[in-house]
Amino acid sequence: MLKIVAESYALKGMSLEKLPPPSTSKYKIKEREDTIIKCYEKASELCLLYLQEVDRGQRNVAVSVSVAPSGQFVSHGDLMGPILETAIQRTPILYIKNGQLPCAIKTFRDLLRAVESRATQNLRPTLAKQLAEVLLRGICVKNYEKIDMADYSETASSPLPRKYSGERLFLPKDENEETILLLLIAECMANREAILTRSPEYQEAREHTASRAAAIYDLLTISLVRRAQTDLLSETFERAMKFSFADFHVWYQFALSLICSEKYARALLVLEECHGLQPENSIILLQMAQICYYHLHILDKGIACAKKVVELGDNQPMAARGYVALGIGYALKAFEAKVRGNRQELQKKALTNYSKAHKLDNNDHVALLHLALQLAIFRKIPEAIKYVRQALKLKYDHVHSLHLLSLLLSAQKHCDEALVLIEAALDEYPDNLSLMLTKSKLEQICLGTDEALMTCKHMLYIWKQYYQPSPEFEQRGTGLIDRVTADKRTLAQLQLAEMSDRDSVRLCVPDETFLRAGSVRAESIAASRVEQALSEVASSMNNSIQPRQGPSQAWSLQAQIWLHLAELYLTVNNDTEAMACVKEASSIFPLNHQVAFMKGRIHEHRMEYHEAKKCYDNAVSINPGNIKSLQHLGIVLHHLGQNRLAEKVLRDAVNIDPTSSQSWNCLGEVLQTLGEGDASSECLFTAVDLEATDPIVPFQVIPRLMQ
């Protein structure tokens, strides 16, 4: 009888919907719409009560409800029927159509609050997904109405139909919590209903359940990415793998979630599966190359991926970016090369691929930027300026192009023009610490050390503004304020590689993402791991050395600012303040090679050469590729009279970076002391030639990004 009455109400509502309006009066139309909704609501209540009664009666018998007396399979959804199922889903849709969004949300909530029966198991994921869509599209913080606690008390429970109630139920605090909760419930149900068998007769049902689950995962992606909950998102996609065989969309979303969660090794494996599903998708190959270059440091594999993009042909849309990726791979590999001949050959290959990319797409500012950067490394300054100006015509506010142009101007000794350009770039990017550090070095030359010190102090102010740990976070033991992860634009711009030479861009763990410069050497990555291991050992042996709470990238920024500030104080012979700055940096990363280097600089400034030698030895022991440490170690050994050893150290520095004028100059002085006049003259002449095109900071600080 309950089902008959429920179907009667549902059929009445459907009939009223089919009939044309009896009058054009707004009041009559509104009254008719209200009648239709009331019919559907009554049908929904009676249907749910009927299904609950059937389910309760079936639990009292020992025979399974899934098998009829004839032995045929009985679907629980058949108890409801298409008429009642339409009535249940139609009610909130009519509310939304009439502009009554709060009433629609309340109806969805009431339907989901009803005590679950076996016949509604397939319907509940649909209702949860639809309510989540409504919350995502039509609800914000201001118009969100929280769930009333009184509706969930045991005294408020209504017998028509029975609903879940209790005193300790979880209630979402805002629309985000409710949306994610609904989608996680729907995802759990979709996983439970997924058909895993690969038999041909179940293909249609398998595709249906997989498409329903994919829709839920898409909504989950939107919701969780907004809240930066990428770890949870990757876990949900991992559960979907059991029924997503050969489903490119789900596999690709899984790979992207792993990338956002910084699980790069696993993301690369998933992207390889995506490449197997779509072998001609060049975007997958470019992402694989990007992960290999910037995160896993597998240069050969990244180059192989870029070659596959190029092999797809020059007519495909991403052909130019394929050549750019291939050029970046050769440039990074050239940076790793120990033999000068191999290095030059790889750099020429990089330049050739950048040129091909520019010919294929002369409107790609990324190809022009890399072409200009490679020419700058070859010290072809005028030609590099021409290409970087073309890049700025295509994208006038590109921060790396502006930065490179200022470095090129400083290489031409037009420091005043470079400073004006940097200040203009800072008007566009006022919180970019990378530009500020270059500005500080330019101010030191053009305006004096006092102006450079003021810029450095402003950098510390910006760091505290964005990254200062709040007291409540420290009490909870978590770390920095939410802006560290919320302001992605600021975090992406913080590239402080300039304070060090090209092989020392990393001051903390090697998996940081904001220092993706092309100047990362294998020695730097190994040094980062050594420093991390030494810090863990030191903290275990000495309780006074405790790691800072929060992301290490943020503390790395502050340490680099302190070290640059110490270098500025040394230029004005204020070694006391310089030592105080080094102590601040040492309190953050006590066993870092750059901290050891700056301590050596202070001892060298005080002519304490034996202590300086110990500090430089420590820095080189941690990072053998640190150019500045090798240079100053050679100078200190020269002062100590160990000229042969100084020559060996300086030749190592020249081999690592043959474009450093300081290395050639120091080597020339040492050779002159050893009485090798011809070799000394050649080194000094080379130093003079290189110094004529030396930028204010090395060109390699410009990151070799693929986008």
Side-chain angles (χ1 to χ4, degrees):
M1 289 301 299
L2 280 173
K3 184 176 182 181
I4 291 173
V5 176
E7 287 183 343
S8 300
Y9 276 108
L11 289 171
K12 181 180 179 181
M14 292 178 183
S15 301
L16 290 173
E17 271 197 286
K18 293 292 183 180
L19 290 174
S23 173
T24 58
S25 172
K26 294 182 179 179
Y27 299 103
K28 292 291 185 181
I29 294 175
K30 181 67 170 59
E31 183 179 356
R32 174 176 170 273
E33 291 175 351
D34 291 342
T35 303
I36 294 172
I37 292 176
K38 287 180 180 178
C39 289
Y40 283 143
E41 284 183 337
K42 198 67 177 177
S44 302
E45 292 176 354
L46 293 174
C47 175
L48 294 176
L49 181 60
Y50 156 69
L51 294 175
Q52 290 172 356
E53 293 295 330
V54 170
D55 197 52
R56 186 170 62 174
Q58 289 175 341
R59 283 199 300 267
N60 294 330
V61 297
V63 182
S64 173
V65 296
S66 298
V67 180
S70 61
Q72 296 179 349
F73 178 76
V74 179
S75 173
H76 296 297
D78 294 340
L79 295 173
M80 185 186 306
I83 295 176
L84 293 178
E85 186 174 352
T86 302
I88 292 175
Q89 298 188 41
R90 191 67 181 160
T91 307
I93 293 175
L94 289 177
Y95 275 127
I96 296 172
K97 185 178 179 180
N98 296 337
Q100 298 174 293
L101 202 58
C103 294
I105 293 175
K106 184 178 183 303
T107 303
F108 274 123
R109 288 171 175 172
D110 290 339
L111 291 172
L112 291 170
R113 274 187 58 200
V115 176
E116 184 178 3
S117 61
R118 297 184 183 181
T120 59
Q121 287 180 353
N122 293 330
L123 181 63
R124 292 176 73 85
T126 303
L127 295 174
K129 182 176 76 70
Q130 290 176 348
L131 177 54
E133 288 177 341
V134 172
L135 294 174
L136 280 173
R137 295 179 180 181
I139 298 298
C140 62
V141 178
K142 293 183 179 180
N143 61 0
Y144 175 74
E145 294 182 4
K146 295 183 179 180
I147 300 173
D148 190 0
M149 286 286 293
D151 294 340
Y152 285 83
S153 62
E154 294 182 1
T155 57
S157 59
S158 172
L160 188 66
R162 292 185 300 276
K163 299 179 181 179
Y164 292 111
S165 61
E167 298 297 332
R168 295 186 179 182
L169 296 178
F170 171 77
L171 295 179
K173 298 178 182 178
D174 53 30
E175 76 280 5
N176 294 308
E177 280 192 3
E178 186 173 358
T179 302
I180 294 173
L181 176 62
L182 287 166
L183 291 174
L184 289 176
I185 292 173
E187 184 257 342
C188 180
M189 294 180 177
N191 282 342
R192 183 182 60 189
E193 297 169 1
I195 298 176
L196 304 182
T197 178
R198 308 301 301 175
S199 300
E201 59 267 23
Y202 293 103
Q203 181 178 357
E204 185 177 352
R206 184 172 61 249
E207 292 176 353
H208 176 69
T209 56
S211 63
R212 287 180 58 182
I216 295 172
Y217 283 117
D218 289 341
L219 294 174
L220 260 175
T221 302
I222 296 172
S223 303
L224 294 176
V225 168
R226 286 181 179 179
R227 307 298 297 172
Q229 297 292 331
T230 53
D231 289 332
L232 179 58
L233 181 62
S234 62
E235 291 175 4
T236 57
F237 274 115
E238 187 173 3
R239 292 193 292 268
M241 291 296 101
K242 63 183 181 181
F243 58 86
S244 300
F245 175 76
D247 189 339
F248 174 80
H249 178 71
V250 176
W251 278 87
Y252 188 47
Q253 295 293 323
F254 184 33
L256 294 179
S257 66
L258 290 172
I259 293 173
C260 294
S261 302
E262 299 183 2
K263 301 172 183 178
Y264 301 112
R266 194 172 183 193
L268 181 61
L269 296 175
V270 178
L271 284 175
E272 288 178 351
E273 293 293 330
C274 295
H275 173 60
L277 296 174
Q278 292 188 4
E280 295 185 358
N281 192 332
S282 55
I283 295 178
I284 302 296
L285 292 168
L286 291 175
Q287 286 181 314
M288 292 170 63
Q290 189 174 18
I291 292 175
C292 293
Y293 291 159
Y294 305 137
H295 304 294
L296 301 181
H297 204 73
I298 312 174
L299 299 182
D300 290 332
K301 189 167 186 176
I303 291 173
C305 294
K307 285 182 178 179
K308 290 182 181 179
V309 178
V310 172
E311 290 170 358
L312 291 175
D314 293 347
N315 296 325
Q316 49 106 4
M318 303 302 294
R321 288 300 174 92
Y323 282 109
V324 170
L326 187 56
I328 291 174
Y330 284 132
L332 294 177
K333 196 169 182 180
F335 204 76
E336 297 287 331
K338 303 297 183 182
V339 181
R340 184 178 302 181
N342 295 340
R343 185 187 302 127
Q344 292 177 349
E345 182 181 356
L346 290 168
Q347 287 177 343
K348 289 179 181 178
K349 286 184 178 180
L351 184 62
T352 302
N353 283 281
Y354 294 146
S355 301
K356 289 181 180 178
H358 175 53
K359 289 179 181 179
L360 282 177
D361 187 0
N362 54 10
N363 292 321
D364 187 2
H365 71 280
V366 176
L368 284 167
L369 171 65
H370 287 290
L371 181 58
L373 177 58
Q374 196 63 36
L375 290 169
I377 293 173
F378 282 132
R379 299 301 175 95
K380 297 180 180 180
I381 306 301
E383 195 174 353
I385 290 178
K386 181 186 74 172
Y387 284 113
V388 77
R389 288 186 186 276
Q390 292 181 20
L392 287 171
K393 286 181 181 179
L394 296 171
K395 190 173 179 61
Y396 67 92
D397 60 345
H398 190 234
V399 60
H400 301 309
S401 299
L402 291 169
H403 200 172
L404 178 58
L405 181 56
S406 66
L407 296 183
L408 290 168
L409 291 173
S410 69
Q412 290 186 329
K413 310 310 174 189
H414 299 159
C415 293
D416 293 331
E417 297 180 20
L419 181 57
V420 171
L421 181 61
I422 282 290
E423 290 175 346
L426 282 170
D427 290 338
E428 185 71 23
Y429 304 96
D431 54 356
N432 190 307
L433 298 181
S434 177
L435 295 175
M436 286 186 190
L437 191 52
T438 302
K439 177 187 175 184
S440 174
K441 289 185 175 290
L442 289 170
E443 285 176 338
Q444 185 180 2
I445 295 175
C446 300
L447 305 176
T449 308
D450 292 338
E451 290 293 332
L453 287 171
M454 292 300 296
T455 301
C456 244
K457 292 178 181 178
H458 184 59
M459 292 167 66
L460 284 173
Y461 169 76
I462 289 180
W463 186 93
K464 291 179 181 179
Q465 184 180 4
Y466 283 98
Y467 300 100
Q468 183 66 46
S470 58
E472 64 267 18
F473 272 71
E474 288 186 350
Q475 290 175 2
R476 289 184 294 174
T478 50
L480 303 182
I481 56 178
D482 287 339
R483 278 177 290 182
V484 173
T485 55
D487 192 356
K488 298 295 183 183
R489 180 182 61 84
T490 301
L491 188 63
Q493 294 170 358
L494 300 179
Q495 297 167 357
L496 270 182
E498 287 92 332
M499 70 114 350
S500 59
D501 52 300
R502 65 178 187 171
D503 53 78
S504 307
V505 299
R506 294 176 179 247
L507 196 62
C508 51
V509 293
D511 58 345
E512 56 202 37
T513 57
F514 68 102
L515 287 178
R516 296 181 294 191
S519 52
V520 180
R521 297 179 65 93
E523 293 91 341
S524 300
I525 297 177
S528 300
R529 293 171 179 168
V530 169
E531 291 163 6
Q532 188 177 10
L534 291 175
S535 299
E536 292 174 356
V537 173
S539 60
S540 63
M541 297 178 63
N542 187 358
N543 293 329
S544 62
I545 301 177
Q546 295 295 333
R548 298 297 180 99
Q549 295 178 350
S552 56
Q553 295 95 332
W555 292 111
S556 172
L557 292 174
Q558 191 192 50
Q560 291 196 22
I561 296 171
W562 282 116
L563 292 175
H564 177 59
L565 197 57
E567 193 173 3
L568 289 176
Y569 277 122
L570 278 183
T571 59
V572 293
N573 299 320
N574 192 342
D575 55 351
T576 304
E577 291 293 335
M579 182 57 77
C581 295
V582 172
K583 287 182 179 179
E584 290 288 344
S586 179
S587 65
I588 301 173
F589 296 108
L591 299 174
N592 178 260
H593 69 277
Q594 293 184 22
V595 174
F597 166 74
M598 282 308 302
K599 288 180 181 179
R601 284 290 311 277
I602 295 173
H603 287 299
E604 183 184 351
H605 182 78
R606 294 173 177 174
M607 297 185 180
E608 300 170 353
Y609 295 124
H610 289 284
E611 289 78 3
K613 179 180 177 298
K614 292 179 182 178
C615 294
Y616 293 143
D617 283 336
N618 292 336
V620 174
S621 298
I622 298 174
N623 187 359
N626 189 290
I627 298 294
K628 288 187 176 181
S629 297
L630 291 171
Q631 290 171 349
H632 286 270
L633 179 58
I635 294 172
V636 168
L637 291 171
H638 173 60
H639 286 300
L640 292 174
Q642 303 177 20
N643 291 309
R644 284 299 176 188
L645 186 56
E647 178 190 0
K648 192 267 180 189
V649 170
L650 290 171
R651 287 191 183 277
D652 290 341
V654 167
N655 184 56
I656 293 174
D657 185 7
T659 63
S660 175
S661 59
Q662 186 178 358
S663 298
W664 286 103
N665 184 63
C666 295
L667 180 59
E669 292 180 359
V670 171
L671 291 175
Q672 185 178 4
T673 305
L674 292 171
E676 301 179 12
D678 295 338
S680 174
S681 300
E682 185 179 351
C683 292
L684 293 174
F685 277 125
T686 304
V688 171
D689 291 339
L690 290 172
E691 196 276 334
T693 56
D694 267 350
I696 193 68
V697 293
F699 290 118
Q700 286 85 351
V701 301
I702 303 297
R704 297 182 183 273
L705 301 179
M706 293 173 57
Q707 55 187 4

